[in-house]
Amino acid sequence: MSELMTSPRRWSCLDQFSLEATARDMPALAQAAPELAPGTVVAIPFLPGESDAARLEAAARVRALGFTPMPHLAARHLPSRAALLRLLEGWRAGAGVERLLVLAGDRADPRGPYQDALSLIETGLLAAHGVRQVVISGYPEGHPRLSDACLARAMRDKLAALAAQGLAAEIATQFGFSAPPVLAWLAALRMAGVEVPVRLGLPGPANMRTLLRYAALCGVSASASVLARYGVSLNRLRSHAGPQWLVRQLADELTPERHGAVLAHFYPFGGIASLTGWLARQRFIDFPLPEARCS
């Protein structure tokens, strides 16, 4: 097992961050590869209408670039056990996948036998196909269709099922624009005894129109006052903004004792090149993070 230890080191949003890249983003990821650290975790969304061949190829390309592929596995989009097995076997054989982000998916009704992330975990097939770490979803601002109590219960059940199978766990959150709800959610999570690392979702630099579109799709709060502080003008839909204000506020308020192990997970809405360029311009921020030490 690993113990979380406090270390007074300097942190920046470049430190062990992860990012999202779709199958269509692979050429852009290849171009940006020299700007990213070897082993960077790259999440590959499970997009509706995308073929399994594209999902498998994307993971293989991420691995070939020297990064760590983390495909999404959306329970409600899987039509059958055979389809699940094809993906797990393909990811293992073609990309050595050991880490998955498992979620329910945004379909109202399941295509097949899997209702939610827990139903996938409980099959035992993930561990049987070489998966060693499973990332589950977190919602600091709540879910548009699920109560906070339902979300908390689902998280407890998923973490318990993963622990029972000896699988490591992390939580990756939806992106947001405002620090206070994130900080409150993290504090409540730790008070409830959840100690696994959390990757906080941060929107990469993008224009106002793009940010608002994704916020609406994902049920994220994007009020005028929050976006103004974030650096986006309501009167300039094409103006670009990065998350530097949000990162600074989080860094000023996060403490290991209260909020635990926290890393960044970027959603590059403005494109991977835009994100890596923004990251290259950032300066280190004083923020002591917990380190993992094997015992």
Side-chain angles (χ1 to χ4, degrees):
M1 297 179 64
S2 61
E3 298 175 355
L4 295 179
M5 305 296 293
T6 301
S7 173
R9 59 192 175 91
R10 296 177 69 84
W11 177 90
S12 81
C13 48
L14 288 168
D15 191 8
Q16 300 180 56
F17 73 89
S18 51
L19 74 153
E20 302 247 330
T22 69
R24 293 189 297 270
D25 290 329
M26 289 302 120
L29 182 66
Q31 287 191 327
E35 308 301 323
L36 299 170
T40 294
V41 174
V42 178
I44 307 165
F46 197 104
L47 299 180
E50 194 171 66
S51 70
D52 284 351
R55 297 182 180 109
L56 297 174
E57 175 63 19
R61 293 186 69 179
V62 168
R63 179 66 76 186
L65 289 169
F67 306 133
T68 301
M70 184 173 72
H72 291 197
L73 189 57
R76 295 188 178 191
H77 289 270
L78 294 170
S80 65
R81 176 185 171 91
L84 171 60
L85 287 171
R86 282 195 299 272
L87 283 172
L88 293 176
E89 291 166 359
W91 280 326
R92 184 181 191 180
V97 168
E98 296 183 342
R99 178 193 295 245
L100 289 177
L101 194 154
V102 181
L103 69 167
D106 56 4
R107 285 179 61 95
D109 299 307
R111 287 186 63 197
Y114 306 112
Q115 175 71 28
D116 51 25
L118 181 61
S119 64
L120 286 180
I121 294 167
E122 289 180 333
T123 64
L125 293 173
L126 307 187
H129 287 80
V131 175
R132 297 291 174 260
Q133 185 166 46
V134 173
V135 183
I136 61 175
S137 300
Y139 300 90
E141 296 186 54
H143 190 283
R145 294 183 299 277
L146 299 174
S147 69
D148 289 346
C150 180
L151 290 172
R153 183 170 61 254
M155 180 176 289
R156 288 195 303 269
D157 291 346
K158 286 181 283 188
L159 291 174
L162 292 172
Q165 296 181 43
L167 294 173
E170 281 187 357
I171 298 167
T173 78
Q174 186 53 271
F175 72 93
F177 300 106
S178 180
V182 171
L183 294 165
W185 178 82
L186 277 170
L189 197 69
R190 302 317 187 189
M191 286 290 291
V194 178
E195 298 180 354
V196 302
V198 173
R199 292 185 177 271
L200 286 183
L202 300 174
N207 63 45
M208 170 75 165
R209 192 188 304 274
T210 299
L211 292 173
L212 284 176
R213 184 174 76 251
Y214 279 102
L217 287 172
C218 300
V220 173
S221 175
S223 68
S225 60
V226 167
L227 287 176
R229 291 196 302 274
Y230 187 78
V232 179
S233 169
L234 286 171
N235 297 319
R236 298 174 60 197
L237 291 179
R238 295 187 178 182
S239 63
H240 274 66
Q244 55 267 24
W245 173 82
L246 176 58
V247 169
R248 169 61 70 178
Q249 189 176 12
L250 288 170
D252 287 345
E253 299 292 335
L254 280 165
T255 60
E257 297 79 10
R258 189 177 186 200
H259 303 106
V262 180
L263 300 167
H265 180 71
F266 284 100
Y267 295 83
F269 301 136
I272 290 176
S274 179
L275 173 61
T276 55
W278 180 87
L279 287 167
R281 295 191 294 272
Q282 303 314 296
R283 300 187 183 280
F284 281 93
I285 300 170
D286 285 320
F287 176 45
L289 275 178
E291 283 185 339
R293 186 183 69 181
C294 294
S295 59

